[in-house]
Amino acid sequence: MILMKDIVRDGDPVLRAVAQPVAFPLSAEDKKLADDMMEYLVNSQDPEIAKKHQLRAGVGLAAPQVGVSIKMAAVLVPGDDGKILLKEVLCNPVIVRESVKPAALAEGEGCLSVDEDIPGYVVRHDRITIQYQNVAGEKKSIRVKDYPAIVCQHEIDHLNGHLFYDHINKKNPFSIAPDAVIVQ
């Protein structure tokens, strides 16, 4: 089981490296990693388990965040009604289409690998199309918008050596286009 002590923190070079593509069929080690990353997200969103194991809640976890520099990320995005909006392990994900309209989370973004609170709008695309492979190696394409799109872009950034605060305007952290979607 992945615990907070297993999550690589900001400053570790693996977080700034471009991850290597995942080879298929997945090795037993990579399958276990995919399962363990998703298990962390499920556990971190369960208040009792999270408290017991002192887990910070997460909606996404990328392999580099646990010290493995491969293009694999787990996402588990709950909706306001408790239903799951997106639950998937993305292998070799590529954003193939993105909207012009910007979006940002109203409260800003956080990251399991970044312990400090960094205020500001993390400007992203409101809608994206992602092509990826699932853990079985099947090629998939999904279109996501609003919160799920923001989560996926955050995780894909990890695979390319970027952190969320790289997208914050350093001079004016809360500047954003007037037509931007502000996700609550």
Side-chain angles (χ1 to χ4, degrees):
M1 177 155 107
I2 294 173
L3 300 172
M4 286 305 299
K5 68 176 180 58
D6 303 313
I7 295 178
V8 173
R9 296 306 202 277
D10 193 7
D12 189 304
V14 72
L15 293 174
R16 291 302 188 170
V18 175
Q20 296 301 307
V22 179
F24 282 91
L26 289 183
S27 66
E29 188 176 291
D30 288 345
K31 282 182 189 171
K32 182 175 179 351
L33 176 62
D35 290 344
D36 289 350
M37 290 192 309
M38 186 59 75
E39 178 189 41
Y40 177 90
L41 298 178
V42 170
N43 289 342
S44 78
Q45 291 180 27
D46 181 307
E48 286 183 26
I49 297 173
K51 184 177 180 182
K52 178 181 176 184
H53 296 287
Q54 299 179 321
L55 306 177
R56 281 175 46 198
V59 292
L61 185 61
Q65 290 182 273
V66 290
V68 183
S69 192
I70 60 172
K71 289 188 181 287
M72 179 188 289
V75 291
L76 178 58
V77 185
D80 292 334
D81 57 2
K83 291 183 180 164
I84 300 299
L85 299 175
L86 179 62
K87 181 179 183 180
E88 183 69 277
V89 174
L90 309 171
C91 298
N92 303 321
V94 177
I95 298 171
V96 294
R97 194 171 298 122
E98 53 198 26
S99 66
V100 173
K101 185 173 283 235
L105 292 179
E107 73 277 3
E109 290 183 26
C111 180
L112 296 170
S113 292
V114 179
D115 293 326
E116 64 184 294
D117 182 31
I118 301 176
Y121 286 137
V122 180
V123 182
R124 300 194 180 276
H125 299 282
D126 184 48
R127 296 171 188 258
I128 59 171
T129 301
I130 306 167
Q131 289 180 347
Y132 67 98
Q133 290 168 277
N134 64 15
V135 292
E138 299 166 326
K139 292 185 178 179
K140 301 277 189 177
S141 181
I142 56 170
R143 293 181 67 203
V144 287
K145 67 178 188 169
D146 300 333
Y147 189 46
I150 289 170
V151 171
C152 288
Q153 289 170 86
H154 179 114
E155 297 312 317
I156 291 170
D157 268 359
H158 276 301
L159 306 180
N160 293 307
H162 305 294
L163 293 171
F164 75 93
Y165 58 76
D166 298 342
H167 297 280
I168 298 174
N169 181 320
K170 306 297 181 253
K171 291 186 175 140
N172 188 354
F174 290 97
S175 68
I176 195 164
D179 67 333
V181 175
I182 304 298
V183 179
Q184 297 300 324

